[in-house]
């Protein structure tokens, strides 16, 4: 090795002996003298240039030339800048920044993409704490040809789990701020030598990476107007019946956006699309004859990176292909008037408990990122082994930065926060001095205590960049904290209304004692949200989501049937409030199947006429079944795949009903109110006009609703096992005209204007309607519209 000295070089770096010398695949001018270039041409294969200047000081440069190699590389390394976090292109190079408060040393690892499968680090740059550290922030600026190069970090320090320290310099760690993670390119394919956890590394960004948004701007749809569709990216198009050119990918979703638009969904809520490892639970499942996968993705590895294996590009352009495909999905959704909300998991990470893998946060700063007990144990409010230390100052800034990134760079319209109650818990070593700057009298808060004013929720709620995006909380966690109706909200947070789900399921299946609670749900749950100053649209109403029975299974099974999971049917929720309508399973009598179809329509109609924001789970629009499995987290197969062939079979039946009901909701001014309905607009009825029955045994709820577009609506639910003839409110000079009756078979369940036999169907009930009466079948619901026409 030869050291080259030039007039511009004032000294050799004092830490010279510890430097890991770098080689680069392509020659690159480093802006030095012509003599250096000439020497390089004589056979010096690589060189390292160190700039040891402090800010504002004169640069001291060291040039190290290595013997020739098959890959001559050149690099210029400078002290860098302490902001922003992550890897940032600037001034012809890349500035790398990462924070660790307890590490004693840090090393930037540069990995040729061809070395990654072998878990080889191609070259390393040891960071000198004197010149590459500001406070707790490590930083370095690198100039050179970084094509086909990814990066990670090594951190060293004490390894003492009983003290919550897990430093291990043998681990290559992912940058928490990485914009793409590179590992395996194909979904479900094992890594090199059958490894489920192959080495991962981070995308080195380029200043030239531009995406053409074609003028895309936020849609800013009023939340009260949304109809949300909860979707799994892979599951939506991976079944062969989708005939997708790009099955199971972001591009595949784009191919099918017209389906969502045609039904009337104007918002998709994507199940986790942050980078995760689908092989996390990889094991042979003898029941299914396949392998378990982490299909749902609630186990985040990196909060800035889109899931690479949901992209058709895979590792194309070292993860940038996935970034651009995700952007393409958002752009194309916006063109169709569809907003995109992300399901984000800021309550825990894929690193699990002390027995889990060290991927990023644990090896960087375990005590900062996770809630830990005095002896280093992990608090487990997530039920997944660890709990993110959300209200710790560094962590809450990290979460805020992630949300800002997805809004500004990826054009996301909002977020659904998984197990959001964890975001309200106090952090490890909580005290008011560290959080607010002053002590609080008689402060007795301990780790995990629910906070009335959580700093993280405060920051998100009042952030100017996040102003106007949809914020939805799953207002409970696995530690028993249940905050539905009580989540700290600042007037803007909405909630997955789990109480709506439970009450509606109970009432529709005919359980006594729920008529009054059901009426509250119809009105947008004012009992939960009105007193706190919120509106009906702060309630996200749902009957079924990914976790639990599908809509078809809700009316087909009394018990869960999770044997396919290989856990002896011990997993999943036992309390489902379901009803099989008289026979367990799909093979049932014609009368039972007819009742099930009726019940599915009742549930869907209820969602569409309730104040608040309706949300539908993927596949429920055609009656997808999972065979009674209410915990399908591990199945990458037909159980979780959208069945386009089944959807086509249902096109003239339930799918039509869903499309027309969604269209009806969009047309009605009164079904998406900005405030809770009052007596001026809504009047309750029973079997007789104006006489509602709120008794314990009542199974009938009816109401009229003034609508500026439709005039007036009569909506009734009969969840009794007996039919009933109801007395309609008298409206002199007008008559009630049936529009929806779930007791009738398709297509007469919805008398749309284009239905050829519509007039005949209405005339069949003329003798009832002329007397302001209407017959309702057991377990049915109806919508009638007031029409200013002559008596039939």
């Amino acid at each position: 090795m030869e050291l080259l000295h030039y007039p511009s070089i004032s000294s050799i770096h004092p830490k010279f002996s510890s430097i890991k010398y770098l080689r680069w695949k392509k020659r690159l001018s480093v802006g030095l003298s012509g003599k250096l270039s000439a020497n390089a041409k004589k056979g010096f294969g690589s060189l390292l240039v160190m700039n040891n200047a402090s800010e504002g000081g004169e640069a001291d440069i060291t040039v190290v030339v290595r013997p020739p190699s098959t890959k001559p590389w050149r690099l210029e390394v400078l002290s860098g800048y302490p902001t922003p976090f992550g890897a940032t292109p600037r001034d012809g190079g890349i500035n790398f920044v990462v924070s660790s408060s307890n590490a004693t040393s840090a090393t930037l690892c540069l990995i040729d993409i061809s070395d990654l499968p072998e878990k080889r680090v191609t070259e390393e740059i040891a960071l000198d704490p004197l010149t590459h550290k500001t406070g707790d922030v490590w930083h370095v600026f690198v100039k050179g040809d970084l094509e086909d190069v990814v990066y990670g970090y090594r951190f060293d320090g004490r390894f003492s789990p009983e003290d919550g320290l897990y430093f291990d310099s043998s681990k290559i760690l992912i940058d928490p701020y990485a914009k793409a993670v590179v590992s395996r390119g194909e979904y479900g394919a094992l890594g090199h030598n059958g490894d489920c956890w192959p080495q991962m590394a981070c995308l080195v960004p380029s200043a030239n990476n531009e995406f053409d948004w074609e003028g895309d701007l936020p849609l800013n749809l009023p939340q009260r107007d949304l109809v949300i569709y909860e979707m799994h990216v892979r599951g939506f198009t991976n079944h062969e019946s989708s005939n997708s050119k790009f099955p199971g990918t972001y591009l595949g979703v784009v191919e099918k956006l017209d389906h969502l638009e045609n039904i009337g969904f104007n918002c998709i809520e994507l199940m986790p699309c942050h980078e995760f490892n689908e092989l996390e639970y990889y094991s042979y499942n003898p029941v299914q004859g396949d392998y378990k996968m982490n299909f749902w993705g609630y186990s985040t590895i990196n909060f800035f990176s889109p899931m690479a294996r949901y992209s058709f590009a895979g590792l194309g352009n070292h993860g940038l292909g996935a970034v651009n495909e995700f952007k393409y999905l958002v752009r194309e959704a916006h063109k169709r008037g569809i907003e995109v909300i992300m399901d984000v998991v800021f309550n825990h990470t894929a690193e699990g408990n002390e027995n889990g893998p060290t991927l990023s946060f644990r090896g960087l700063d375990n005590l900062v990122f996770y809630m830990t007990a005095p002896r280093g144990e992990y608090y487990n409010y997530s039920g997944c082994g660890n709990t993110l230390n959300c209200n710790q100052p560094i962590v809450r800034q990290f979460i805020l930065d992630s949300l800002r990134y997805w809004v500004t760079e990826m054009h996301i319209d909002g977020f659904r926060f998984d197990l959001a109650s964890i975001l309200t818990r106090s952090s490890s070593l909580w005290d008011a001095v560290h959080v607010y700057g002053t002590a609080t009298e008689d402060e007795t808060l301990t780790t995990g205590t629910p906070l009335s004013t959580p700093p993280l929720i405060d920051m998100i709620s009042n952030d100017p960049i996040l102003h106007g995006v949809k914020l939805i909380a799953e207002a409970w966690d696995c530690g028993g904290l249940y905050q539905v109706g009580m989540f700290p909200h600042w007037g803007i947070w909405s909630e997955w209304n789990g109480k709506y789900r439970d009450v509606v399921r109970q009432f529709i299946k005919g359980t006594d004692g729920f008529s009054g609670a059901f009426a509250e749900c119809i009105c947008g749950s004012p009992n939960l949200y009105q007193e706190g100053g919120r509106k009906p649209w702060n309630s996200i109403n749902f009957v079924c989501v990914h976790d639990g029975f599908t809509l078809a299974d809700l009316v087909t099974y009394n018990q869960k049937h999770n044997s396919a999971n290989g856990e002896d049917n011990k997993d999943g929720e036992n309390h489902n409030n379901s009803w099989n309508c008289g026979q367990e399973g799909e093979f049932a009598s014609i009368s039972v199947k007819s009742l099930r179809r009726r019940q599915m329509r009742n549930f869907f109609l209820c969602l569409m006429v309730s104040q608040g924001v309706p949300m539908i789970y993927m596949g429920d629009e055609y009656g997808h079944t999972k065979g009674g499995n209410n915990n399908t987290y591990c199945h990458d197969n037909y159980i979780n795949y959208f069945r386009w062939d089944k959807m086509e079979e249902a096109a003239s039946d339930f799918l039509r009903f869903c499309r027309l009901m969604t269209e009806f909701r969009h047309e009605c001014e009164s079904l998406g109110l900005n405030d809770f309905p009052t007596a001026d607009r809504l009047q309750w009825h029973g079997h007789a006009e104006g006489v509602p029955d709120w008794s314990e045994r009542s199974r009938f709820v009816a109401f009229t609703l003034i609508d500026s577009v439709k005039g007036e609506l009569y909506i009734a639910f009969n969840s009794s096992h007996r039919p009933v003839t109801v007395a309609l409110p008298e409206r002199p000079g007008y008559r009630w005209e049936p529009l929806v009756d779930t007791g009738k078979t398709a297509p007469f369940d919805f008398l749309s204007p284009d239905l050829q036999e519509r007039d005949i169907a209405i005339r069949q009930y003329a003798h009832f309607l002329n007397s302001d009466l209407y017959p309702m079948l057991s377990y049915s619901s109806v919508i009638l519209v007031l029409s200013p026409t002559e008596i039939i």
Side-chain angles (χ1 to χ4, degrees):
M1 181 179 293
E2 178 183 357
L3 299 182
L4 304 183
H5 296 270
Y6 299 98
S8 60
I9 299 176
S10 58
S11 64
I12 295 178
H13 194 282
K15 301 291 184 180
F16 176 80
S17 60
S18 67
I19 296 174
K20 304 292 185 181
Y21 304 114
L22 306 174
R23 57 185 174 82
W24 293 95
K25 297 198 311 182
K26 295 185 178 181
R27 294 186 177 185
L28 180 70
S29 169
V30 293
L32 297 180
S33 68
K35 181 178 179 181
L36 178 58
S37 299
N39 281 333
K41 291 178 182 178
K42 291 178 183 179
F44 295 107
S46 62
L47 52 92
L48 170 66
V49 182
M50 298 292 297
N51 185 332
N52 306 324
S54 57
E55 283 193 35
E58 181 181 353
D60 293 337
I61 301 177
T62 302
V63 180
V64 181
V65 180
R66 298 184 60 198
S69 68
T70 56
K71 290 185 178 181
W73 290 16
R74 300 178 181 181
L75 179 71
E76 183 178 1
V77 179
L78 299 91
S79 62
Y81 310 88
T83 58
F85 286 97
T88 308
R90 59 173 296 170
D91 303 329
I94 305 294
N95 194 59
F96 296 91
V97 182
V98 66
S99 174
S100 178
S101 59
N102 293 295
T104 57
S105 69
T107 303
L108 174 66
C109 302
L110 300 173
I111 306 169
D112 187 278
I113 197 68
S114 62
D115 287 337
L116 187 61
E118 300 289 345
K119 298 187 177 182
R120 288 196 300 263
V121 176
T122 312
E123 302 293 348
E124 303 187 14
I125 302 175
L127 305 186
D128 184 352
L130 296 178
T131 57
H132 295 282
K133 188 179 181 186
T134 302
D136 292 333
V137 177
W138 300 81
H139 47 83
V140 61
F141 184 71
V142 180
K143 287 187 176 182
D145 184 355
L146 297 177
E147 184 180 353
D148 295 330
V149 174
V150 290
Y151 77 98
Y153 291 99
R154 295 189 195 274
F155 278 88
D156 206 355
R158 272 207 309 142
F159 184 85
S160 179
E162 63 274 14
D163 295 317
L165 300 173
Y166 284 85
F167 291 106
D168 184 350
S169 61
S170 70
K171 305 288 187 180
I172 307 301
L173 306 176
I174 301 167
D175 182 356
Y177 280 79
K179 303 309 184 289
V181 173
V182 180
S183 58
R184 297 172 295 105
E186 182 182 352
Y187 188 98
L190 294 169
H192 189 63
N193 293 327
D195 194 351
C196 290
W197 288 95
Q199 180 61 56
M200 290 174 280
C202 312
L203 166 73
V204 175
S206 166
N208 300 321
N209 293 339
E210 295 292 336
F211 177 79
D212 184 4
W213 281 103
E214 298 182 357
D216 178 70
L217 293 172
L219 296 177
N220 290 325
L221 300 178
Q223 186 158 312
R224 65 178 181 272
D225 294 337
L226 297 184
V227 179
I228 301 176
Y229 188 81
E230 189 191 23
M231 172 196 290
H232 188 282
V233 168
R234 179 170 172 83
F236 194 49
T237 62
N238 207 52
H239 193 268
E240 58 185 10
S241 63
S242 73
N243 296 317
S244 172
K245 296 178 182 177
F246 313 101
T249 66
Y250 304 121
L251 299 183
V253 173
V254 173
E255 289 181 292
K256 300 296 185 179
L257 285 175
D258 289 344
H259 165 70
L260 304 181
E261 184 181 10
N262 290 338
I263 298 180
F265 299 114
N266 56 8
C267 180
I268 53 178
E269 182 178 298
L270 299 176
M271 289 176 66
C273 288
H274 285 152
E275 183 68 27
F276 67 92
N277 182 11
E278 74 278 12
L279 300 180
E280 183 175 359
Y281 313 138
Y282 190 77
S283 61
Y284 183 70
N285 184 355
V287 179
Q288 287 290 110
D290 59 9
Y291 288 83
K292 285 188 175 184
M293 297 283 182
N294 174 13
F295 186 76
W296 287 347
Y298 289 91
S299 194
T300 308
I301 289 173
N302 185 275
F303 293 95
F304 283 81
S305 306
M307 174 61 168
R309 290 169 299 287
Y310 281 171
S311 70
F312 186 73
L315 296 184
N317 208 1
H318 314 325
L320 183 62
V323 174
N324 287 336
E325 285 184 27
F326 187 94
K327 291 179 178 179
Y328 178 69
L329 166 57
V330 175
R331 188 189 74 188
E332 295 305 301
H334 285 175
K335 286 181 179 179
R336 291 164 174 81
I338 300 173
E339 293 193 332
V340 181
I341 289 175
M342 288 186 69
D343 192 341
V344 291
V345 191
F346 287 111
N347 56 78
H348 75 283
T349 77
E351 291 184 311
N353 60 21
E354 64 277 5
N355 298 316
T358 297
L359 308 170
S360 180
F361 308 97
R362 193 201 316 276
L364 277 169
D365 224 339
N366 184 71
L367 289 174
V368 166
F369 282 103
Y370 296 119
M371 285 191 191
T372 56
R375 292 187 177 182
E377 304 97 329
Y378 290 101
Y379 284 92
N380 189 19
Y381 295 115
S382 68
C384 297
N386 65 54
T387 304
L388 209 60
N389 207 16
C390 297
N391 283 298
Q392 201 277 347
I394 294 173
V395 180
R396 65 176 185 255
Q397 184 63 53
F398 166 78
I399 293 173
L400 189 70
D401 289 345
S402 172
L403 298 175
R404 285 178 163 186
Y405 173 79
W406 287 95
V407 170
T408 59
E409 296 297 322
M410 311 296 265
H411 290 204
I412 285 296
D413 300 287
F415 305 92
R416 178 266 185 185
F417 294 80
D418 182 66
L419 298 183
S421 290
I422 284 176
L423 278 60
T424 72
R425 291 183 179 271
S426 61
S427 60
S428 299
L429 305 179
W430 172 276
D431 65 79
V433 173
H434 286 90
V435 177
Y436 297 115
T438 59
T440 302
E441 186 177 354
D442 297 328
E443 181 183 313
T444 59
L445 291 177
T446 59
T447 299
T449 300
L451 305 172
S452 59
T453 310
L456 173 61
I457 305 299
D458 187 353
M459 289 174 66
I460 294 173
S461 304
N462 295 290
D463 185 75
I465 292 177
L466 301 180
H467 179 73
V469 305
K470 278 73 176 179
L471 301 173
I472 303 170
E474 184 184 38
W476 55 83
D477 65 23
C478 293
L481 182 56
Y482 191 80
Q483 297 175 306
V484 172
M486 301 174 289
F487 191 83
H489 55 81
W490 273 261
I492 59 176
W493 283 75
S494 302
E495 297 171 10
W496 265 27
N497 191 344
K499 293 184 178 180
Y500 177 99
R501 171 200 59 206
D502 298 339
V503 168
V504 168
R505 286 187 179 191
Q506 292 275 27
F507 178 81
I508 294 294
K509 75 172 184 172
T511 306
D512 286 339
F514 283 91
S515 59
F518 181 77
E520 293 275 10
C521 291
I522 291 292
C523 292
S525 301
N527 56 317
L528 297 178
Y529 301 111
Q530 190 169 34
E531 184 177 346
R534 283 188 280 181
K535 304 296 183 180
W537 48 263
N538 291 120
S539 173
I540 307 299
N541 301 330
F542 64 95
V543 173
C544 299
V545 290
H546 68 274
D547 187 2
F549 281 147
T550 66
L551 185 58
D553 290 348
L554 184 66
V555 300
T556 305
Y557 299 94
N558 281 354
Q559 308 296 330
K560 66 184 182 184
H561 294 265
N562 297 1
S563 58
N565 300 352
E567 300 176 40
D568 298 325
N569 204 37
K570 295 179 181 178
D571 63 302
E573 178 60 58
N574 293 314
H575 187 63
N576 295 288
N577 293 323
S578 60
W579 180 42
N580 62 17
C581 298
Q583 288 179 269
E584 187 78 356
E586 294 187 53
F587 298 100
S589 66
I590 293 176
S591 60
V592 167
K593 288 186 176 181
S594 176
L595 176 55
R596 289 172 179 174
R597 288 192 291 270
R598 204 151 71 236
Q599 287 291 71
M600 289 173 63
R601 285 167 170 78
N602 292 334
F603 280 119
F604 198 91
L605 187 150
C606 177
L607 280 168
M608 290 301 126
V609 302
S610 296
Q611 301 299 326
V613 179
M615 181 174 67
I616 312 300
Y617 175 55
M618 179 184 82
D620 278 350
E621 72 269 31
Y622 71 82
H624 180 75
T625 177
K626 297 181 180 181
N629 193 326
N630 70 358
N631 189 33
T632 61
Y633 72 98
C634 60
H635 295 288
D636 178 37
N637 53 41
Y638 67 92
I639 295 176
N640 280 317
Y641 292 170
F642 189 102
R643 293 290 300 272
W644 294 91
D645 51 345
K646 299 296 184 183
M647 187 270 292
E648 292 172 3
E649 294 174 9
S652 61
D653 190 356
F654 188 58
L655 186 68
R656 171 185 176 272
F657 181 84
C658 293
R659 176 177 60 80
L660 291 172
M661 276 304 311
T662 305
E663 180 181 314
F664 178 74
R665 179 183 175 88
H666 286 311
E667 291 173 349
C668 291
E669 163 268 342
S670 62
L671 295 182
L673 297 176
N674 197 47
D675 215 332
F676 299 99
T678 63
D680 294 335
R681 181 187 287 269
L682 185 148
Q683 182 180 4
W684 298 105
H685 306 282
H687 294 157
E689 176 187 359
V691 187
D693 182 2
W694 307 121
S695 67
E696 186 71 15
R697 300 191 65 181
S698 172
R699 299 185 184 182
F700 185 85
V701 171
F703 60 97
T704 49
L705 190 64
I706 304 298
D707 187 272
S708 62
V709 177
K710 300 292 184 180
E712 188 173 3
L713 308 174
Y714 176 86
I715 302 172
F717 296 85
N718 177 30
S719 63
S720 170
H721 61 285
R722 296 178 178 177
V724 63
T725 298
V726 297
L728 302 174
E730 294 184 12
R731 298 291 186 262
Y734 295 83
R735 67 175 172 83
W736 292 103
E737 186 173 284
L739 177 67
V740 181
D741 188 338
T742 64
K744 294 186 172 63
T745 58
F748 302 104
D749 52 353
F750 198 114
L751 300 180
S752 57
D754 61 346
L755 186 64
Q756 292 183 355
E757 299 89 351
R758 179 178 182 276
D759 291 340
I760 297 175
I762 293 176
R763 288 184 180 278
Q764 288 177 342
Y765 285 85
H767 56 296
F768 285 103
L769 296 172
N770 289 340
S771 301
D772 288 323
L773 299 173
Y774 192 84
M776 291 184 65
L777 202 61
S778 61
Y779 302 106
S780 69
S781 50
V782 299
I783 301 177
L784 290 83
V785 181
L786 200 63
S787 177
T789 56
E790 298 298 327
I791 298 289
I792 299 174

